[in-house]
């Protein structure tokens, strides 16, 4: 498993691809699979605001569409264009739920990084307690 710093650096690079002309808030994510592959993503906005896609789900959907189904950790960075990724950026509730579908929430690590090297790490189960999980339907 990669170190948090390596994954945060990949997220910072992915953030450069963000398309966010409406919020000017640029986000990058790097998602590591159990087999070691990493998929990155950025947020992609739209003039019809509800169509906007978060960086985390861009990375997740790229990965799932390439056959990945098992993930171990994600790094996320975000911030206004003029400020860079100066402060940590927590994933929205929709992205927490989307990630839960494909990981073991008690083991899956969420690294919230910043450009200055700051990093706070959570387990997904702490960010989404008492979740509606896929097991509920079995
Ligand atoms: N955004 C993300 O990409 N990930 C998050 O976890 C929070 C928010 C994006 C969505 C939108 O393009 C912009 O940041 C402002 O909400």
């Amino acid at each position: 498993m990669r170190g948090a710093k390596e994954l945060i650096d990949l997220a910072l690079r992915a953030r450069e691809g963000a398309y966010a002309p409406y919020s000017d808030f640029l986000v990058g994510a790097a998602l590591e699979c159990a087999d070691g592959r990493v998929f990155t993503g950025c947020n992609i906005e739209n003039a019809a605001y509800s169509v906007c896609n978060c960086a985390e789900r861009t990375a997740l959907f790229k990965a799932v569409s390439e056959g990945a189904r098992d993930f171990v950790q994600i790094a996320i960075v975000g911030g206004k264009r003029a400020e860079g990724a100066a402060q940590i950026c927590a994933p929205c509730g929709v992205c927490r739920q989307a990630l839960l579908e494909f990981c073991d929430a008690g083991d899956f690590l969420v690294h919230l990084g910043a450009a200055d090297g700051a990093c706070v790490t959570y387990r997904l189960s702490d960010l989404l307690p008492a979740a509606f999980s896929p097991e509920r339907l079995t």
Side-chain angles (χ1 to χ4, degrees):
M1 209 158 101
R2 286 172 172 72
K5 186 183 176 335
E6 184 182 350
L7 218 53
I8 289 167
D9 285 343
L10 292 170
L12 286 166
R13 202 172 315 150
R15 180 175 175 268
E16 292 170 14
Y19 175 74
Y22 305 105
S23 71
D24 232 23
F25 193 89
L26 314 183
V27 185
L31 177 66
E32 183 174 346
C33 308
D35 65 12
R37 282 182 294 168
V38 173
F39 291 87
T40 62
C42 58
N43 55 329
I44 303 168
E45 297 188 345
N46 192 281
Y49 293 166
S50 63
V51 181
C52 293
N53 201 59
C54 291
E56 298 89 326
R57 275 175 293 141
T58 301
L60 178 66
F61 295 163
K62 280 170 66 178
V64 172
S65 72
E66 295 294 326
R69 293 286 188 277
D70 193 8
F71 305 102
V72 291
Q73 56 179 349
I74 190 170
I76 304 164
V77 298
K80 294 291 276 189
R81 186 187 308 275
E83 295 161 12
Q87 296 176 17
I88 64 168
C89 172
C92 79
V94 170
C95 288
R96 295 176 198 203
Q97 183 72 37
L99 289 164
L100 179 76
E101 184 75 19
F102 295 101
C103 69
D104 180 338
D107 291 334
F108 185 83
L109 300 179
V110 180
H111 306 290
L112 308 181
D116 68 357
C119 175
V120 184
T121 299
Y122 294 93
R123 291 185 186 283
L124 184 59
S125 54
D126 293 324
L127 293 178
L128 194 63
F132 186 84
S133 66
E135 292 74 44
R136 185 69 183 78
L137 296 178
T138 59

